[in-house]
Amino acid sequence: MTATVHPDDAAPEGAIIGSAAPDEGPGRSVSAEFRRGLAAMMPILLGVAPFALVLGSQAAMKGLSPLEVALMCGLNFAGGSEFVAIELWRSPPQIALIAGMTLLVNCRHLLMGAAFARHLRSLRPWQAALVLFVMADETWALGMDDARRRMAATGRPGISLPYYAGLAVSLYVAWVGVTVAGAVVGPVLGNPHAYGFDMAFTAVFLVLVRGMWKGWRRALPWPVSLGVAAVTHLLVPGAWYVPAGTLAGLAVAYVIAGYETREAAP
């Protein structure tokens, strides 16, 4: 899943799943924060599970074993790029092409990480590395929303590590587990598109877009990226629509960011 992010952005109030403003006081235990993260992620998992099943089924049809699927999802942990990798998978695989396309699809993590940076400055390097390793679209969106609420309540940037761990652990286990399950049952189910499971990908994306909505100007890279990718797919053979759409969206986001910087200058 992809979304355009401005480095200074945080999700707006009430984004995705509303929750009470976090409490820094001693009354909120680590276990309570972890459970709060689990509860916040549960509705998202209902949408994630079907397209994890689709990914596992498609991987099995390309010849990957359940163990290989588990390693792919567990080590990469970025759903959009995994779908691209499976779509491009051939025998023998074109490793350079798959790696390049995966890199382009995952470029959004550079912007997501930049937006997260100020909330990670108080963490130890190994803690920040773990946070960023499990930073998917869903954990980023919910984590940013919570960090914004914490900053409004305390006046200090930062994330609740137990809350974020609840988000990340539940998503990681569900994503890897259901994808492996898809690889196991996929050959029995046949083509998963016949069941409409792939629509869950679009549904979850729309929910995340709603949470990150910052007005039409910030949303412009999304339709531009979609339009360029669609036209490229129709006119150019192969998977060139992936880098074309990605680079077009990033270019528009860069132009908008520069315009807003000049606009905000005294």
Side-chain angles (χ1 to χ4, degrees):
M1 284 174 280
T2 58
T4 304
V5 185
H6 190 280
D8 295 327
D9 282 350
E13 290 290 341
I16 306 177
I17 299 173
S19 60
D23 180 11
E24 284 278 351
R28 188 178 291 278
S29 66
V30 170
S31 61
E33 280 288 271
F34 184 82
R35 290 194 300 271
R36 187 168 69 90
L38 289 176
M41 183 57 70
M42 284 302 114
I44 298 294
L45 294 184
L46 296 177
V48 166
F51 69 85
L53 195 66
V54 170
L55 175 63
S57 179
Q58 290 180 338
M61 289 189 288
K62 289 295 182 79
L64 273 69
S65 69
L67 176 59
E68 290 168 333
V69 171
L71 289 173
M72 178 184 71
C73 296
L75 296 176
N76 184 53
F77 195 55
S81 62
E82 288 159 17
F83 273 97
V84 171
I86 292 301
E87 182 68 24
L88 297 174
W89 193 268
R90 301 290 185 272
S91 183
Q94 300 179 35
I95 300 299
L97 174 63
I98 293 173
M101 293 299 184
T102 299
L103 177 63
L104 283 173
V105 172
N106 286 339
C107 276
R108 71 191 188 280
H109 287 250
L110 296 173
L111 299 178
M112 291 160 65
F116 230 167
R118 61 176 173 172
H119 299 293
L120 305 181
R121 288 171 185 160
S122 62
L123 302 182
R124 296 175 181 176
W126 67 268
Q127 292 174 321
L130 284 176
V131 167
L132 295 174
F133 174 73
V134 292
M135 186 187 68
D137 298 283
E138 297 84 356
T139 52
W140 177 85
L142 291 171
M144 282 295 292
D145 181 45
D146 191 67
R148 183 177 185 272
R149 293 170 181 272
R150 288 169 62 83
M151 190 163 63
T154 66
R156 301 190 306 273
I159 65 170
S160 168
L161 276 180
Y163 170 80
Y164 189 85
L167 298 174
V169 168
S170 56
L171 180 63
Y172 189 92
V173 171
W175 178 251
V176 176
V178 177
T179 306
V180 170
V184 172
V185 303
V188 178
L189 292 177
N191 184 3
H193 296 287
Y195 302 95
F197 286 164
D198 50 330
M199 282 301 297
F201 189 99
T202 304
V204 172
F205 173 76
L206 292 175
V207 170
L208 295 176
V209 166
R210 169 62 185 90
M212 293 182 284
W213 184 257
K214 285 286 188 178
W216 287 105
R217 180 189 293 175
R218 295 282 180 85
L220 187 59
W222 301 333
V224 169
S225 180
L226 175 62
V228 170
V231 171
T232 305
H233 178 67
L234 293 174
L235 299 179
V236 182
W240 290 104
Y241 62 92
V242 176
T246 301
L247 294 175
L250 289 174
V252 173
Y254 179 81
V255 171
I256 291 174
Y259 175 80
E260 291 181 346
T261 300
R262 294 190 298 272
E263 192 177 54

